[in-house]
Short mmCIF file of all heavy atoms in Angstrom, two decimals:
data_model
loop_
_atom_site.label_atom_id
_atom_site.label_comp_id
_atom_site.label_asym_id
_atom_site.label_seq_id
_atom_site.Cartn_x
_atom_site.Cartn_y
_atom_site.Cartn_z
N THR A 8 141.81 76.35 85.93
CA THR A 8 142.92 77.29 85.80
C THR A 8 144.01 76.67 84.93
O THR A 8 143.97 75.47 84.63
CB THR A 8 143.51 77.65 87.17
OG1 THR A 8 144.14 76.48 87.73
CG2 THR A 8 142.45 78.18 88.14
N ALA A 9 144.98 77.48 84.56
CA ALA A 9 146.08 77.00 83.71
C ALA A 9 146.83 75.85 84.37
O ALA A 9 147.34 74.97 83.67
CB ALA A 9 147.03 78.15 83.40
N SER A 10 146.89 75.82 85.69
CA SER A 10 147.60 74.75 86.40
C SER A 10 146.78 73.46 86.50
O SER A 10 147.27 72.44 86.95
CB SER A 10 147.98 75.21 87.80
OG SER A 10 146.83 75.23 88.62
N GLY A 11 145.48 73.55 86.16
CA GLY A 11 144.60 72.38 86.25
C GLY A 11 143.69 72.39 87.46
O GLY A 11 142.86 71.49 87.61
N LEU A 12 143.81 73.38 88.34
CA LEU A 12 142.92 73.47 89.49
C LEU A 12 141.50 73.74 89.00
O LEU A 12 141.27 74.67 88.22
CB LEU A 12 143.35 74.59 90.44
CG LEU A 12 142.43 74.84 91.64
CD1 LEU A 12 142.41 73.64 92.58
CD2 LEU A 12 142.86 76.11 92.37
N GLU A 13 140.55 72.93 89.45
CA GLU A 13 139.16 73.15 89.08
C GLU A 13 138.46 73.94 90.17
O GLU A 13 138.66 73.68 91.36
CB GLU A 13 138.45 71.83 88.81
CG GLU A 13 138.99 71.17 87.56
CD GLU A 13 138.08 70.13 86.95
OE1 GLU A 13 136.96 69.91 87.46
OE2 GLU A 13 138.49 69.55 85.93
N VAL A 14 137.67 74.91 89.74
CA VAL A 14 136.91 75.77 90.64
C VAL A 14 135.45 75.66 90.21
O VAL A 14 135.11 75.97 89.07
CB VAL A 14 137.38 77.23 90.56
CG1 VAL A 14 136.56 78.11 91.51
CG2 VAL A 14 138.87 77.34 90.85
N GLU A 15 134.61 75.19 91.12
CA GLU A 15 133.19 75.06 90.84
C GLU A 15 132.44 76.13 91.62
O GLU A 15 132.53 76.19 92.84
CB GLU A 15 132.66 73.69 91.26
CG GLU A 15 131.17 73.56 91.04
CD GLU A 15 130.61 72.26 91.57
OE1 GLU A 15 131.26 71.22 91.42
OE2 GLU A 15 129.50 72.31 92.13
N LEU A 16 131.73 76.97 90.89
CA LEU A 16 130.88 77.97 91.50
C LEU A 16 129.44 77.54 91.26
O LEU A 16 128.98 77.50 90.12
CB LEU A 16 131.13 79.35 90.89
CG LEU A 16 132.47 79.94 91.31
CD1 LEU A 16 133.19 80.53 90.14
CD2 LEU A 16 132.24 80.96 92.39
N ALA A 17 128.75 77.17 92.32
CA ALA A 17 127.35 76.80 92.23
C ALA A 17 126.55 78.07 92.46
O ALA A 17 126.52 78.62 93.57
CB ALA A 17 127.00 75.74 93.27
N VAL A 18 125.96 78.60 91.42
CA VAL A 18 125.24 79.87 91.46
C VAL A 18 123.78 79.59 91.80
O VAL A 18 123.14 78.74 91.17
CB VAL A 18 125.36 80.61 90.11
CG1 VAL A 18 124.59 81.92 90.14
CG2 VAL A 18 126.84 80.84 89.75
N ALA A 19 123.27 80.32 92.80
CA ALA A 19 121.89 80.11 93.24
C ALA A 19 121.30 81.40 93.78
O ALA A 19 122.02 82.33 94.13
CB ALA A 19 121.84 79.03 94.32
N SER A 20 120.00 81.42 93.88
CA SER A 20 119.31 82.54 94.52
C SER A 20 119.43 82.36 96.04
O SER A 20 119.72 81.26 96.52
CB SER A 20 117.85 82.59 94.09
OG SER A 20 117.11 81.61 94.80
N PRO A 21 119.15 83.40 96.80
CA PRO A 21 119.19 83.28 98.27
C PRO A 21 118.23 82.23 98.80
O PRO A 21 118.42 81.73 99.92
CB PRO A 21 118.81 84.69 98.74
CG PRO A 21 119.21 85.58 97.62
CD PRO A 21 118.94 84.78 96.37
N ASP A 22 117.20 81.85 98.03
CA ASP A 22 116.27 80.80 98.47
C ASP A 22 116.97 79.48 98.77
O ASP A 22 116.47 78.68 99.55
CB ASP A 22 115.19 80.55 97.41
CG ASP A 22 114.19 81.69 97.33
OD1 ASP A 22 114.13 82.51 98.27
OD2 ASP A 22 113.46 81.75 96.32
N TRP A 23 118.13 79.24 98.14
CA TRP A 23 118.89 78.01 98.39
C TRP A 23 119.22 77.87 99.88
O TRP A 23 119.27 76.77 100.41
CB TRP A 23 120.17 78.01 97.56
CG TRP A 23 120.99 76.78 97.75
CD1 TRP A 23 120.85 75.60 97.08
CD2 TRP A 23 122.08 76.60 98.65
NE1 TRP A 23 121.78 74.69 97.53
CE2 TRP A 23 122.55 75.28 98.50
CE3 TRP A 23 122.71 77.41 99.59
CZ2 TRP A 23 123.61 74.76 99.23
CZ3 TRP A 23 123.76 76.91 100.34
CH2 TRP A 23 124.20 75.58 100.14
N ALA A 24 119.40 79.00 100.55
CA ALA A 24 119.79 79.00 101.97
C ALA A 24 118.60 79.09 102.92
O ALA A 24 118.79 79.22 104.13
CB ALA A 24 120.76 80.15 102.23
N ARG A 25 117.40 79.01 102.39
CA ARG A 25 116.21 79.11 103.23
C ARG A 25 116.21 77.99 104.27
O ARG A 25 116.53 76.84 103.97
CB ARG A 25 114.97 79.02 102.34
CG ARG A 25 113.70 79.51 102.99
CD ARG A 25 112.54 79.54 102.03
NE ARG A 25 112.30 78.20 101.50
CZ ARG A 25 112.14 77.94 100.20
NH1 ARG A 25 112.18 78.88 99.31
NH2 ARG A 25 111.92 76.70 99.80
N THR A 26 115.84 78.31 105.49
CA THR A 26 115.86 77.32 106.56
C THR A 26 114.47 76.86 106.99
O THR A 26 114.36 75.96 107.82
CB THR A 26 116.60 77.88 107.81
OG1 THR A 26 115.94 79.06 108.25
CG2 THR A 26 118.05 78.17 107.49
N ASP A 27 113.42 77.46 106.45
CA ASP A 27 112.08 77.07 106.82
C ASP A 27 111.21 76.92 105.59
O ASP A 27 110.62 77.91 105.13
CB ASP A 27 111.48 78.10 107.78
CG ASP A 27 110.14 77.64 108.33
OD1 ASP A 27 109.87 76.42 108.35
OD2 ASP A 27 109.35 78.52 108.74
N PRO A 28 111.16 75.75 105.00
CA PRO A 28 111.82 74.51 105.43
C PRO A 28 113.25 74.43 104.88
O PRO A 28 113.58 75.06 103.87
CB PRO A 28 110.95 73.42 104.80
CG PRO A 28 110.47 74.04 103.52
CD PRO A 28 110.28 75.52 103.84
N LEU A 29 114.06 73.63 105.52
CA LEU A 29 115.44 73.39 105.09
C LEU A 29 115.45 72.25 104.08
O LEU A 29 115.00 71.15 104.37
CB LEU A 29 116.31 73.05 106.30
CG LEU A 29 117.78 72.79 106.05
CD1 LEU A 29 118.45 73.99 105.38
CD2 LEU A 29 118.49 72.48 107.35
N ASP A 30 115.94 72.55 102.89
CA ASP A 30 116.01 71.55 101.83
C ASP A 30 117.01 70.46 102.20
O ASP A 30 118.13 70.76 102.64
CB ASP A 30 116.44 72.23 100.53
CG ASP A 30 116.56 71.25 99.39
OD1 ASP A 30 115.51 70.87 98.85
OD2 ASP A 30 117.70 70.86 99.05
N PRO A 31 116.66 69.19 102.03
CA PRO A 31 117.57 68.09 102.38
C PRO A 31 118.90 68.15 101.60
O PRO A 31 119.95 67.83 102.14
CB PRO A 31 116.79 66.82 102.04
CG PRO A 31 115.36 67.24 102.02
CD PRO A 31 115.34 68.67 101.62
N GLY A 32 118.84 68.55 100.34
CA GLY A 32 120.07 68.66 99.54
C GLY A 32 120.98 69.76 100.07
O GLY A 32 122.20 69.59 100.15
N THR A 33 120.39 70.88 100.44
CA THR A 33 121.17 71.97 101.02
C THR A 33 121.79 71.52 102.33
O THR A 33 122.97 71.77 102.59
CB THR A 33 120.27 73.21 101.24
OG1 THR A 33 119.75 73.63 99.98
CG2 THR A 33 121.03 74.34 101.89
N ARG A 34 121.02 70.82 103.16
CA ARG A 34 121.55 70.32 104.43
C ARG A 34 122.76 69.40 104.19
O ARG A 34 123.77 69.50 104.87
CB ARG A 34 120.48 69.56 105.21
CG ARG A 34 121.02 68.99 106.54
CD ARG A 34 120.02 68.09 107.25
NE ARG A 34 118.79 68.76 107.59
CZ ARG A 34 118.60 69.46 108.72
NH1 ARG A 34 119.58 69.58 109.58
NH2 ARG A 34 117.44 70.01 108.96
N ARG A 35 122.67 68.51 103.20
CA ARG A 35 123.78 67.60 102.89
C ARG A 35 125.04 68.37 102.51
O ARG A 35 126.14 68.05 102.97
CB ARG A 35 123.41 66.65 101.75
CG ARG A 35 122.91 65.31 102.20
CD ARG A 35 122.78 64.31 101.06
NE ARG A 35 122.12 64.82 99.86
CZ ARG A 35 120.81 64.91 99.71
NH1 ARG A 35 120.00 64.53 100.66
NH2 ARG A 35 120.30 65.36 98.58
N VAL A 36 124.87 69.39 101.66
CA VAL A 36 126.02 70.20 101.23
C VAL A 36 126.69 70.85 102.45
O VAL A 36 127.91 70.80 102.61
CB VAL A 36 125.59 71.26 100.21
CG1 VAL A 36 126.69 72.28 99.97
CG2 VAL A 36 125.20 70.60 98.89
N VAL A 37 125.89 71.45 103.32
CA VAL A 37 126.42 72.17 104.47
C VAL A 37 127.04 71.23 105.49
O VAL A 37 128.14 71.49 106.00
CB VAL A 37 125.33 73.06 105.11
CG1 VAL A 37 125.82 73.69 106.40
CG2 VAL A 37 124.90 74.14 104.12
N THR A 38 126.39 70.12 105.79
CA THR A 38 126.92 69.21 106.81
C THR A 38 128.14 68.43 106.32
O THR A 38 128.89 67.90 107.12
CB THR A 38 125.84 68.24 107.33
OG1 THR A 38 125.32 67.48 106.24
CG2 THR A 38 124.74 69.00 108.03
N ASP A 39 128.36 68.40 105.01
CA ASP A 39 129.54 67.73 104.46
C ASP A 39 130.80 68.59 104.58
O ASP A 39 131.89 68.14 104.28
CB ASP A 39 129.28 67.37 102.98
CG ASP A 39 130.35 66.47 102.42
OD1 ASP A 39 130.82 65.57 103.14
OD2 ASP A 39 130.74 66.67 101.25
N GLY A 40 130.64 69.81 105.02
CA GLY A 40 131.76 70.73 105.20
C GLY A 40 131.43 72.07 104.58
O GLY A 40 131.13 72.14 103.39
N ALA A 41 131.41 73.10 105.40
CA ALA A 41 131.07 74.44 104.91
C ALA A 41 131.79 75.48 105.73
O ALA A 41 131.92 75.35 106.94
CB ALA A 41 129.56 74.66 104.97
N CYS A 42 132.23 76.51 105.04
CA CYS A 42 132.88 77.65 105.69
C CYS A 42 132.34 78.93 105.06
O CYS A 42 132.45 79.12 103.85
CB CYS A 42 134.39 77.55 105.49
SG CYS A 42 135.29 78.93 106.21
N VAL A 43 131.73 79.76 105.86
CA VAL A 43 131.16 81.02 105.38
C VAL A 43 132.29 81.98 105.05
O VAL A 43 133.15 82.25 105.88
CB VAL A 43 130.21 81.63 106.43
CG1 VAL A 43 129.70 82.99 105.98
CG2 VAL A 43 129.05 80.68 106.73
N LEU A 44 132.28 82.49 103.81
CA LEU A 44 133.32 83.42 103.37
C LEU A 44 132.81 84.86 103.24
O LEU A 44 133.56 85.80 103.47
CB LEU A 44 133.89 82.97 102.01
CG LEU A 44 134.53 81.59 101.98
CD1 LEU A 44 134.93 81.23 100.56
CD2 LEU A 44 135.73 81.53 102.91
N HIS A 45 131.57 85.01 102.82
CA HIS A 45 130.97 86.34 102.62
C HIS A 45 129.50 86.22 102.99
O HIS A 45 128.79 85.39 102.41
CB HIS A 45 131.14 86.78 101.16
CG HIS A 45 130.49 88.09 100.84
ND1 HIS A 45 131.02 89.29 101.23
CD2 HIS A 45 129.34 88.37 100.16
CE1 HIS A 45 130.23 90.27 100.80
NE2 HIS A 45 129.21 89.74 100.15
#
């Protein structure tokens, strides 16, 4: 943004959230802090 705030949007298909099996990288992202917005 103009103020310098960086916004990262990681764009993925719904498969990224698949739980069977649960991808280790996805698990790391979620367990490091996650808040469902939509």
Side-chain angles (χ1 to χ4, degrees):
T8 67
S10 74
L12 176 65
E13 292 199 3
V14 180
E15 177 185 320
L16 288 135
V18 179
S20 78
D22 288 344
W23 181 85
R25 197 174 59 228
T26 59
D27 187 23
L29 181 57
D30 179 78
T33 299
R34 179 187 299 274
R35 264 190 313 279
V36 168
V37 173
T38 58
D39 190 39
C42 178
V43 175
L44 300 175
H45 176 76

